[in-house]
Amino acid sequence: MDKLMKYSEAVEKFDPVLGLEVHVELGTKTKMFDQSPNEFGGDPNTNIAPASIGLPGALPTINKTAIEWAIRLGLALNCEISEVSRFARKHYFYPDLAKAYQISQAAVAVAHNGWVDVELDDGDTFRVEIERAHVEEDAGKNTHIGSEDGRIQGAAYSLVDFNRSSVPLIEIVTKPIEGAGDRAPEIASKYVQALRDIARALGVSEARMERGNLRADVNVSLRETPESPLGTRTETKNVNTFRGIEKAVRYEISRQAQVLADGGEVVQQTRHFHAEDGTTSAGRSKSDAEDYRYFPDPDLGPIVASPEWVERLRAELPELPAVRRRRLRDEWGFSELEMRDVVNAGAMDLIENTVSAGASSAAARKWWMGELSRVAREADVELEELTVTPAQVAELQVLVDEGKINDKLARQVLEGVLAGEGDPVEVVDARGLAVVSDDGPLIAAVEAAMADNPDVVEKIRGGKMAAIGALMGPVMKATRGQADAKRVRELIMERI
Ligand code: ADP
Ligand code: MG
């Protein structure tokens, strides 16, 4: 067990510096250097071709779409695009890397020198500067069988699946992130969320962390003061949830602070993250000048990005998430806080589609952030996983606005929709949930309620209008909540 300094104390005594290396798997149809399908899942070793599994003599070809997407991503990250960049071989041995080298980019990356503005929970924006974004290929996947934790140590045997081999990756590397202070964990996580949103807006990746489309290596170091030289960093590899990124940063800050406070030295090393308890543990030690014997891949020509091509791609960029968020906030008239809640709940697209289907923004927000958020929380699923569509929510609101159902009935209608009973109109018909505004049944219920509660009737006659509520209860009960409240009120007053 590591000795940890209390987080609040650690960030008071030391200044944390972060570095994030994020891998984004591109969703191109085919692989980076051959024509085998780039598909998630599938039987092991079925989506493969000679080049990606390193068969001797097999020649790689460059996937042009992947390069185009890398440039688009680079532009969206405010990077400069290199007119000429190259692929290089990065040598290392691992059983899931059949060639014993990975094709990556060394000295010159496709994109470099950019930045992303990250929105934080308190409404502040924090700028993260980007060193480079380069193209490379993914490796295959080893599965170790027989060990307790799935690691190679203690395993009886290992399996190799090359389906992921040569899937196009963009690695986005930040410059050292300084000035984060005690918000370092949040900044790290929100930065990766911003990358996810940008990748999705560009349509270059599903960017789903749980599928490994998006993976982060988290570098953390501490120094005495913001003026001190950079301290020694650790690199926690392959953290694959946003909560995990936050926890890994927090843990490393607390751990390194204690090491330093005890007069020790932080060891430069990679570390593993343990999601169960949010801790990290030592991996291999790593020096800065690791010698991968990079050299230009003689099988592949240079990537040439002409200014005309780059400008065309820039002109074709879609609206980016930060701009879209600001636009929608203004269009919808939400406060900053309301908008942040909407974004954090993953409700922005849903509300947008509900509004397109005809609902007001206020109504759309009411349903998605209210009743539907509650249902999602109870079922422990994301809002977008609920089996109700924005169009159905809009239809529900139309029924409310037309007075066909009230809010209480609307919740029952939603329940029916979620249970797969059809669209709101169908549920209203099938369950007989429409508001009763026909006088017939209402008059009977009103008169019965008045007869049963003469004292209340007296109070109303005496001018205590609030007492009407005491008659509404029995009327609603008699009509199973379906009485049109406005009409009931009128019928009572007519009889007073
Ligand atoms: P490596 O090959 O070791 O992964 P990279 O240069 O690819 O190195 O990535 C290192 C990451 O860590 C970059 O984001 C870099 O800005 C950041 N970094 C470098 N030095 C420090 C430091 N002292 N503390 C925190 N982060 C650092
Ligand atoms: Mg790295």
Side-chain angles (χ1 to χ4, degrees):
M1 257 318 266
D2 293 312
K3 268 177 74 187
L4 302 177
M5 185 182 287
K6 223 172 107 202
Y7 180 76
S8 54
E9 197 186 331
V11 287
E12 215 163 89
K13 289 213 166 90
F14 297 98
D15 180 47
V17 175
L18 301 172
L20 291 156
E21 302 164 70
V22 176
H23 286 96
V24 181
E25 254 183 18
L26 298 183
T28 49
K29 280 211 184 68
T30 55
K31 301 264 182 88
M32 187 64 227
F33 298 114
D34 68 44
Q35 273 79 58
S36 54
N38 171 19
E39 275 166 23
F40 181 79
D43 286 338
N45 297 309
T46 52
N47 297 332
I48 54 174
S52 52
I53 57 169
L55 294 190
L59 285 174
T61 52
I62 298 176
N63 182 333
K64 186 175 173 194
T65 305
I67 301 298
E68 190 166 304
W69 290 9
I71 295 174
R72 279 155 54 84
L73 196 53
L75 290 171
L77 301 175
N78 304 292
C79 287
E80 295 161 36
I81 306 300
S82 307
E83 227 179 302
V84 179
S85 64
R86 281 176 200 286
F87 285 110
R89 294 183 176 181
K90 178 181 182 181
H91 297 85
Y92 61 98
F93 172 78
Y94 217 57
D96 59 11
L97 185 70
K99 299 191 296 292
Y101 63 83
Q102 176 194 26
I103 306 177
S104 182
Q105 296 199 285
V108 186
V110 162
H112 50 93
N113 250 344
W115 50 265
V116 186
D117 279 339
V118 178
E119 309 219 9
L120 304 180
D121 272 342
D122 61 7
D124 272 6
T125 299
F126 187 95
R127 179 161 294 189
V128 172
E129 293 189 48
I130 291 168
E131 167 99 31
R132 56 196 260 129
H134 66 254
V135 184
E136 58 187 27
E137 57 177 345
D138 212 341
K141 191 170 163 43
N142 295 322
T143 308
H144 307 296
I145 310 289
S147 64
E148 235 164 66
D149 54 1
R151 293 234 160 82
I152 195 165
Q153 289 83 357
Y157 59 95
S158 300
L159 300 169
V160 189
D161 175 8
F162 287 108
N163 281 352
R164 200 177 64 187
S165 178
S166 214
V167 165
L169 289 180
I170 310 289
E171 180 174 347
I172 302 159
V173 182
T174 67
K175 294 181 181 167
I177 303 170
E178 305 180 59
D182 61 350
R183 297 187 299 180
E186 186 196 356
I187 286 170
S189 158
K190 286 279 160 59
Y191 162 72
V192 182
Q193 288 178 50
L195 293 187
R196 174 198 60 185
D197 294 344
I198 290 169
R200 286 186 180 170
L202 294 173
V204 301
S205 175
E206 284 185 40
R208 287 167 61 167
M209 281 206 122
E210 75 280 10
R211 285 200 172 179
N213 298 146
L214 189 67
R215 312 193 286 268
D217 297 343
V218 181
N219 295 266
V220 178
S221 70
L222 296 182
R223 55 186 175 182
E224 295 272 315
T225 71
E227 288 72 38
S228 318
L230 292 181
T232 304
R233 68 184 160 108
T234 60
E235 179 183 354
T236 304
K237 304 289 282 183
N238 282 325
V239 187
N240 62 2
T241 62
F242 296 117
R243 285 291 295 148
I245 292 171
E246 248 181 90
K247 285 185 182 161
V249 171
R250 227 183 144 82
Y251 187 86
E252 274 304 291
I253 289 175
S254 289
R255 188 188 67 81
Q256 293 180 16
Q258 189 63 51
V259 169
L260 295 173
D262 288 345
E265 275 180 14
V266 173
V267 181
Q268 182 160 348
Q269 62 188 180
T270 65
R271 296 186 68 88
H272 304 293
F273 177 67
H274 307 284
E276 328 77 76
D277 56 3
T279 64
T280 68
S281 63
R284 65 196 160 91
S285 70
K286 191 171 177 182
S287 72
D288 262 324
E290 268 196 284
D291 201 345
Y292 290 109
R293 299 279 155 164
Y294 277 104
F295 70 80
D297 193 312
D299 289 341
L300 292 162
I303 301 170
V304 180
S306 71
E308 297 76 45
W309 189 29
V310 171
E311 286 321 304
R312 183 168 61 74
L313 293 176
R314 191 195 304 277
E316 285 169 8
L317 283 183
E319 182 182 40
L320 293 173
V323 177
R324 172 164 173 250
R325 180 187 190 282
R326 229 171 294 133
R327 173 177 61 80
L328 289 176
R329 200 196 77 138
D330 289 349
E331 281 177 23
W332 294 345
F334 291 179
S335 72
E336 186 51 42
L337 189 70
E338 285 169 342
M339 196 62 186
R340 209 178 313 142
D341 287 345
V342 164
V343 171
N344 288 339
M348 193 162 75
D349 290 349
L350 295 165
I351 291 178
E352 188 182 30
N353 293 335
T354 307
V355 170
S356 314
S360 70
S361 57
R365 191 175 79 83
K366 176 189 76 181
W367 288 116
W368 288 109
M369 298 305 289
E371 182 67 6
L372 289 166
S373 283
R374 190 186 62 73
V375 172
R377 238 186 343 267
E378 273 175 14
D380 198 21
V381 296
E382 298 295 322
L383 273 182
E384 61 179 12
E385 293 174 75
L386 291 177
T387 52
V388 57
T389 64
Q392 289 171 326
V393 173
E395 185 183 314
L396 184 76
Q397 185 59 37
V398 168
L399 293 173
V400 174
D401 291 343
E402 287 175 346
K404 295 217 172 91
I405 55 174
N406 53 32
D407 269 9
K408 184 155 167 265
L409 290 172
R411 282 197 288 277
Q412 294 179 47
V413 175
L414 261 187
E415 200 184 280
V417 173
L418 288 163
E421 293 168 23
D423 287 336
V425 174
E426 293 167 332
V427 176
V428 166
D429 285 348
R431 290 195 178 193
L433 288 177
V435 163
V436 177
S437 40
D438 281 356
D439 283 354
L442 288 189
I443 288 173
V446 164
E447 291 184 344
M450 290 176 74
D452 289 348
N453 300 281
D455 48 329
V456 177
V457 173
E458 272 320 304
K459 275 191 197 152
I460 303 173
R461 289 215 168 99
K464 281 196 72 182
M465 299 309 289
I468 279 194
L471 293 180
M472 291 301 275
V475 173
M476 282 298 175
K477 200 164 169 212
T479 56
R480 301 195 345 263
Q482 289 171 249
D484 176 351
K486 192 161 145 269
R487 186 66 194 138
V488 170
R489 214 169 266 274
E490 286 167 6
L491 289 172
I492 293 173
M493 291 318 290
E494 280 169 15
R495 280 163 183 71
I496 293 284

